[in-house]
Amino acid sequence: MKSKTTISLLLLGSIALPTPKETIAAEINCDSIVYRNKDVCLDEDGGIKRKGVIDPDTGMTVIELESDNNWNARKFRKIPWGLITKLKSNFDGITEYAVFDKNFRFKYPTEQTIYTKWTRDYLEGSYSVKAGCGLLSCAFGWPVDEGDLPSPLEIKFSGKKYTLYGDNGKFQLPNSLVNKVKNNPESELNIRLRKLVVPIGKKTVLNLSEMYKNLPDEQWEKPVIDLLVKEVSNGLSIKNIAGMSLPSVVTIKSDGGQGTGFVISDDGTVLTNRHVIGSSYNQQFNIETIDGSDLIGEVIYVSRKDDFALLKVKKSKSLTPLPICYAKYPTSGEEVVALGSPMGLTNTVTRGIVSAVRRSGSDFDMIASSSTSLIQTDAAINPGNSGGPLLNKNGEVIGINTFKKTASEGLNFAVSIVDVFQQLNVKKPILKSNWVRGINECGNLKPKAGSFFLVVIVAMLGIFFTAFAVLKKQKNNLFRRFSDVQISFKKWLLKKLIPYIEETKKEDKGAKK
């Protein structure tokens, strides 16, 4: 009886309770802590699967990601490897576009992995090495080495080799390489690391090509720069050059590091290297002057053709521009002075000579176009010196300190200031008719003629007083000689008179007797 009652109740409940028509699966959010590192949220490269969105600024499908985290951390798994990523800082709103790649090369008993970040302007990367690998894989290997990609770095793409020089694992990309990747998305891209060639993923190359096609080549209008003719002195000492020039040299600081710049016009325009400011062109930088003042500089122009950029400094009344040698290139053997902030050591002065002036070719296309002149010097240029001025013996700017060949000593290079001003279409200043005889070979004013006459007058006065002193001395000698003659004559006279007087006295005595 009880069993029948139980069955009846169950049948009644099944009729009374509604049954769902369809089971709804819970939505998986790969950004949540619960699912972030689950297999369902990881792609084949170990990165988190993310949905792409259409970027309103470029029209590209991008993955949005915060840039305030250190992407280079080996265990940072948020990176969408091989995809176009739009990085935005929640701290200051700076944005940039990049494609990240992670690839490895296995060679028993080790495995080397390269992590790279590719932007429109630079490549940044690191490596890690595992040991204890098996014959077929390195599933149970252990890390034995890691660090930033070393300089110089060799890259090969579409049959052409590129040698990049950089610091702290960051390298500026040659414009020629960017254009090749843009137009050849199917070609292979390889990096050589310690004689081991590591390939970059095909998906990475495809999306790099897509990113380069959609990012504008030149997004800046060339600013109007009023070139000033300044009075300079000839053959200054290193001490005088440093004292006169350092107040016009500034240190440019950002989250990614620091570099150097210098003032070129009265409105506070500062010239520096492109690689100092990176690819965040909407960024503002802290500008520190020689007296410790902190100013704000905003990027107003960036050259992808050559390695330079311009910033406009706010409240720059205390900054005075340096004289520019705009009319000629330097020649080999000239003495030069490099100013900057190597390794964060502000107001550093180094000296040397111009070793050569050469056109940028394939060996230097990472920093300048083939038509640009590079000044080779043995004046020391180190990380942090980039963007500082290279000066001649009159304190005039002849170039922008740019880079050194890391594996060599005394091989440092500066981009010619003449070519920089030509690219900016800077017009030469109009010279006044009464200046013609007073203009030096760089286009600046020689010292005022009054200074020359003053030197002549001082020299003549010096000669006069010297001659007067000599004559006075000779006159004193003449009087001394005359006195000596008088004394000698008196002695002679006394010598003659004394015997005569004594004889006369004897005669007088005899007469009295």
Side-chain angles (χ1 to χ4, degrees):
M1 185 69 182
K2 289 182 178 180
S3 61
K4 290 183 179 180
T5 305
T6 304
I7 292 172
S8 300
L9 289 173
L10 289 173
L11 289 172
L12 183 63
S14 65
I15 294 172
L17 295 174
T19 56
K21 295 181 180 179
E22 181 179 359
T23 302
I24 301 174
E27 184 178 352
I28 296 175
N29 180 10
C30 290
D31 288 329
S32 70
I33 299 176
V34 177
Y35 293 101
R36 183 177 297 170
N37 294 318
K38 301 293 185 181
D39 291 338
V40 69
C41 282
L42 300 179
D43 60 19
E44 59 185 7
D45 295 320
I48 292 180
K49 292 180 181 178
R50 291 177 177 271
K51 294 180 180 179
V53 297
I54 302 299
D55 179 45
D57 298 323
T58 61
M60 298 185 294
T61 300
V62 300
I63 306 297
E64 295 182 330
L65 194 67
E66 292 181 19
S67 63
D68 300 319
N69 298 311
N70 180 18
W71 77 270
N72 220 354
R74 313 290 183 264
K75 297 180 180 179
F76 186 51
R77 305 186 72 175
K78 280 190 173 183
I79 297 298
W81 304 108
L83 300 176
I84 301 174
T85 305
K86 183 177 183 179
L87 301 166
K88 185 174 182 179
S89 171
N90 289 331
F91 180 74
D92 52 20
I94 297 170
T95 60
E96 69 173 349
Y97 298 89
V99 178
F100 297 91
D101 184 80
K102 181 180 71 172
N103 253 295
F104 69 93
R105 175 54 60 92
F106 174 76
K107 185 177 181 181
Y108 177 80
T110 62
E111 179 187 85
Q112 295 199 30
T113 305
I114 290 183
Y115 309 84
T116 50
K117 173 186 176 182
W118 302 77
T119 72
R120 174 59 180 80
D121 296 283
Y122 68 87
L123 158 67
E124 185 177 9
S126 61
Y127 70 92
S128 64
V129 181
K130 286 184 178 181
C133 300
L135 292 174
L136 300 178
S137 69
C138 202
F140 302 101
W142 58 86
V144 293
D145 188 21
E146 65 178 26
D148 296 325
L149 291 181
S151 178
L153 184 68
E154 291 186 349
I155 292 180
K156 186 176 182 180
F157 181 77
S158 190
K160 181 176 174 59
K161 293 182 180 179
Y162 300 85
T163 302
L164 309 186
Y165 297 90
D167 301 308
N168 303 319
K170 193 171 183 178
F171 307 84
Q172 184 174 308
L173 291 176
N175 213 40
S176 56
L177 173 60
V178 171
N179 289 330
K180 275 188 172 292
V181 174
K182 182 193 301 184
N183 299 320
N184 300 278
E186 302 294 335
S187 297
E188 290 186 358
L189 178 61
N190 297 297
I191 292 179
R192 186 198 298 271
L193 179 64
R194 296 175 181 172
K195 299 183 179 180
L196 189 66
V197 177
V198 180
I200 301 300
K202 291 184 178 180
K203 183 171 70 172
T204 298
V205 179
L206 285 171
N207 281 300
L208 268 179
S209 177
E210 182 70 16
M211 184 178 73
Y212 291 161
K213 287 177 182 177
N214 285 278
L215 293 178
D217 287 333
E218 195 71 51
Q219 62 183 39
W220 303 97
E221 292 185 5
K222 294 179 179 178
V224 177
I225 297 176
D226 293 326
L227 186 58
L228 302 176
V229 176
K230 305 202 74 176
E231 182 180 332
V232 297
S233 300
N234 296 325
L236 294 171
S237 66
I238 304 298
K239 180 180 178 180
N240 288 336
I241 291 175
M244 296 170 59
S245 304
L246 283 174
S248 301
V249 179
V250 298
T251 301
I252 302 172
K253 296 182 177 181
S254 67
D255 294 337
Q258 70 174 39
T260 308
F262 57 95
V263 186
I264 61 171
S265 66
D266 282 331
D267 62 357
T269 301
V270 171
L271 181 61
T272 186
N273 283 138
R274 172 167 67 108
H275 69 259
V276 169
I277 67 167
S279 60
S280 301
Y281 300 144
N282 57 340
Q283 189 172 357
Q284 290 185 337
F285 292 85
N286 291 326
I287 306 295
E288 183 178 313
T289 63
I290 188 174
D291 61 2
S293 300
D294 288 323
L295 305 173
I296 299 297
E298 185 176 354
V299 179
I300 60 171
Y301 183 80
V302 175
S303 169
R304 286 199 173 105
K305 182 180 179 182
D306 294 322
D307 187 11
F308 72 89
L310 295 173
L311 293 85
K312 180 64 67 70
V313 179
K314 301 175 182 178
K315 299 180 181 179
S316 59
K317 293 181 179 180
S318 61
L319 298 177
T320 57
L322 289 173
I324 307 296
C325 184
Y326 63 87
K328 68 177 286 291
Y329 294 100
T331 56
S332 299
E334 280 190 38
E335 292 183 355
V336 292
V337 177
L339 306 180
S341 305
M343 305 297 183
L345 303 173
T346 58
N347 307 324
T348 297
V349 182
T350 57
R351 62 178 299 183
I353 63 168
V354 173
S355 303
V357 179
R358 58 182 81 251
R359 289 292 178 184
S360 174
S362 58
D363 292 338
F364 303 101
D365 58 5
M366 60 164 283
I367 61 167
S369 58
S370 59
S371 61
T372 301
S373 297
L374 293 178
I375 303 170
Q376 179 183 330
T377 177
D378 63 351
I381 296 176
N382 295 296
N385 244 21
S386 297
L390 187 68
L391 309 173
N392 62 15
K393 62 183 179 180
N394 298 334
E396 299 162 299
V397 179
I398 60 174
I400 311 172
N401 303 327
T402 302
F403 83 105
K404 67 177 291 185
K405 281 203 169 184
T406 313
S408 305
E409 290 296 330
L411 290 178
N412 308 292
F413 295 88
V415 176
S416 168
I417 196 69
V418 174
D419 292 350
V420 169
F421 275 43
Q422 286 178 352
Q423 188 183 145
L424 290 171
N425 299 328
V426 177
K427 296 181 179 179
K428 293 183 178 181
I430 299 174
L431 304 179
K432 297 180 181 179
S433 58
N434 60 339
W435 284 359
V436 176
R437 291 188 178 181
I439 297 296
N440 68 8
E441 56 186 2
C442 282
N444 290 302
L445 286 172
K446 293 180 179 179
K448 294 180 180 178
S451 300
F452 173 76
F453 288 118
L454 181 61
V455 172
V456 171
I457 291 171
V458 170
M460 291 179 66
L461 288 174
I463 293 172
F464 172 77
F465 285 113
T466 302
F468 178 78
V470 171
L471 290 173
K472 186 176 180 181
K473 184 177 180 180
Q474 289 180 350
K475 183 179 180 181
N476 291 337
N477 290 338
L478 182 62
F479 284 123
R480 190 179 297 111
R481 289 178 184 177
F482 181 71
S483 299
D484 292 342
V485 170
Q486 282 184 320
I487 293 170
S488 299
F489 176 73
K490 289 178 180 179
K491 288 181 179 180
W492 176 82
L493 185 60
L494 288 172
K495 188 177 180 180
K496 295 292 184 183
L497 286 175
I498 288 173
Y500 174 77
I501 293 171
E502 289 179 352
E503 187 67 28
T504 304
K505 286 181 178 179
K506 289 179 181 181
E507 290 180 356
D508 289 341
K509 287 180 180 181
K512 288 180 180 180
K513 289 179 178 180

